[in-house]
Amino acid sequence: MPEKTRPNGPARTPPPKRPALLSWLTRIVLWGLGIAAAGAVSLVCVIAVALAVAYPNLPDISDLADYRPKLPLRVFSSEGILIGEFGEERRNLTPIATIPKVMKDAVLAAEDARFYDHGGVDYKGLVRAGLANMNRMKSQGASTITMQVARNVYLSSEKTLTRKIYEVLLTFKLEHLLSKDQIFEIYLNQIYLGNRAYGFAAASEAYFGKPLRDITIAQAAMLAGLPKAPGANNPVNNPARARGRQLYVIDRMQEAGFITAEQAAEAKKEELHLRDAVDPTRLHAEYVAETVRQLMYAQYGDSTYTRGLKVYTTLVAADQAAAYRALRKGIMDYERRQFYRGPEKFVDLPADPKELDEAVDDALADHPDNGDVMSAVVLRASAKEINAVRGNGDTLQIVGEGLRPAQSGLSDKAPPNIKIRRGAVIRVVKTPKNTWEITQLPEVEGAFIALDPRDGAVKAMVGGFDFDKNKFNHVTQAWRQPGSSFKPFIYSAALEKGFTPGTVVNDAPLFFDAGTTGGQPWEPKNYDGTFEGPMSLRRALARSKNMVSIRVLQSIGTRYAQDWISNFGFEREKHPAYLPMALGAGSVTPMQMATAYSVFANGGYRVNPYLVTRITDHKDKVLVETQPPLLNETMRAIPQRNAFIMDSLLQEVARSGTAAKAQATLKRPDLYGKTGTTNDSLDAWFAGFQPTMAAVAWMGYDTPRKLGDRETGGGLSLPIWISYMETAIKGVPVTDLTATPPSGVVNVGGEWYYDDYAPGRGVATLGVEAGPTPPVEAISGVPVSPAPPPEERNRILDLFRN
């Protein structure tokens, strides 16, 4: 039966066509994937082309396998204490195996904790840095250690896409060529850390004054915080920012598991003491270091400053420190007796305390401390009290005896340039009683040199009061009159002509008229202006009698004496053959005097001073090594018996003569020497020795002028020598001169003689007959030249070549 339909009912709607919609979606997805694939392929093609073009243009990095950065010349004492460094970059190449773990951990924590896990580019770090930059709205870097090596060694610091591409490519190349340890070693030695320091070993010395091996966690964290911004994070320039960076590194070390929470807490509490460039306890050997620099440059040229040479010297640190202190004290003791020359500068000081600090800093910027001679700005001044402030903010009060050196500047009648008032820049020193005393920087100069007379090794050398103030090395460059300290060489010549310590010579007036001198009349005097009549040669030298020395030289002849003194290393042309040579009117340097007195000290041998014992490269491979010379007869300068009797005479000077203070202070008999004061007190000397140490001290003005009517070698230079010897020969056994007298001498009545010039055979007495004398100019002072000419510089360098 057919189905019935509803009359007038609605027609049924067909269902939607779903397969067609899916088809369109599929097409869109496929098109998108196709476009993405095409883009990826295109990107790969672009990268491939870029690699093909850029990779061949990358620098050759094969030389990094044998990493050789510019390394400075470093100069050391005999104990290995650094005394000088020369080069544009402070750097001490340190193998990674010798870098302490705490330093490596600190760097990894601060710069690249996953360094040993990634392949040069830390993708996790990139993502983390990107998210951090989005969240914190500030930049966070993601450069790995390898990327920093690539950038620092080969690329510029410009921030361009091209440089970044090259950086990444170089990073992959470095990771392929070198091991992780090699890359890390380069980084630890190459990175700039401020204060001219490159590498963490140099930075440890620069900031903390200690070798890297002794670094603490707190110090390592401070150094590890520098690479990001060595200027801004520098603890010298910005202590607060450096401290914040240090705390961050310590936290990162703890998070990375390198240190425990307890270690982190202790490190945060540790107080850091930065190296003070003007630390008075540091070893001052600037003149020695400069001499070595000249020696090395003469041999190695410009490569001296880049190849990492290490030069070890004969210098003994304790002796050098003693020499530096002794000379400085001697000069400052003399300066305390001089007229006050006034403040170094005057500035207007604001009343506002906040502005005052800045004004003080500005005022002292050009007047830095000079060792223990410190600068300060006067805040208030009266006849009874001075209040001043130092550059570090410390205030000080000067009263009582501390005002005495500057009384003329505190007087109401003092001229404006001398008057001490508010805003005056003055100098102060700390007294032994821990009080303050006003002083001034000295104008006088000095020199001190000490040698081992047995081989010529330089044990201490101070060429002036302050190297930064005056780089002229007075030990090797200052040609000065030696005065009476030259007399022993005339006496030594006389012994060979029949004179003996017992020979009687008349200490009586002498006068040479113009017809005799060929110039101005000459009437020499003894220092004290008195004459004692006939006396033995021994007494005459002990009391430094000028008339006796002149008569002795008259007798033996000036030409003979000129020849004889050349045995000691003196230059004939510097000592004209005239009678004033007997009074030390020629020209010598302190180094020559030390070498000459060494002849007496070692039994008659001439030894050349030497300074360098060993030169190595940066890997400590020995390039040059010097062996101390052994005394032998080819080195003999004077007969042994001559040296023996001269020692006996010089011992008398130090026991009962003008240098009696030496034995009285040091309480030992084996001290020998001679004071020297030139005409008008232009130069003050003491030259002396103990058999293991010959030393010379000198004081004078660069442009010769009077030291003072009562200033002598015994009062100025002898105390410097004694102060040094207290350290240098402490614990050295006393040597008995007469225990083993040489052959050819005899003792008669308690006096020593040549056996062929014993009593009755030598020169018994000497009268007053005069010989030719020079014109006045041959007696005048010898000015110090401002700088040596090339031939003089070569002579100075030859002094130290064995």
Side-chain angles (χ1 to χ4, degrees), residues 67-74 82 84-93 152-153 186 189-199 201-203 206 304-309:
Y67 174 61
R68 293 184 183 182
K70 290 182 180 180
L71 299 173
L73 166 70
R74 294 163 68 86
L82 182 67
E85 197 170 26
F86 300 92
E88 294 180 4
E89 303 174 356
R90 290 177 177 171
R91 195 194 305 274
N92 185 9
L93 187 58
N152 291 326
V153 177
I186 293 169
N189 284 280
Q190 177 72 23
I191 196 73
Y192 178 60
L193 299 169
N195 204 16
R196 283 181 42 237
Y198 288 78
T304 299
Y305 310 119
T306 59
R307 62 185 294 179
L309 294 174

Side-chain angles (χ1 to χ4, degrees), residues 662-717:
Q663 288 195 18
T665 303
L666 297 176
K667 308 295 184 185
R668 53 189 300 159
D670 57 341
L671 301 176
Y672 315 80
K674 182 71 184 74
T675 54
T677 309
T678 62
N679 196 30
D680 291 330
S681 296
L682 300 181
D683 299 272
W685 295 81
F686 184 76
F689 59 90
Q690 189 273 343
T692 65
M693 186 71 69
V696 172
W698 165 85
M699 277 182 61
Y701 289 96
D702 277 349
T703 300
R705 71 175 195 254
K706 277 189 176 184
L707 289 164
D709 291 336
R710 297 186 178 183
E711 304 292 358
T712 66
L716 291 177
S717 297

Side-chain angles (χ1 to χ4, degrees), residues 231-252:
N233 294 339
N234 189 315
V236 174
N237 298 338
N238 197 332
R241 187 163 179 175
R243 171 63 172 167
R245 182 68 179 162
Q246 178 206 32
L247 295 177
Y248 164 78
V249 175
I250 292 173
D251 287 339
R252 293 285 295 129

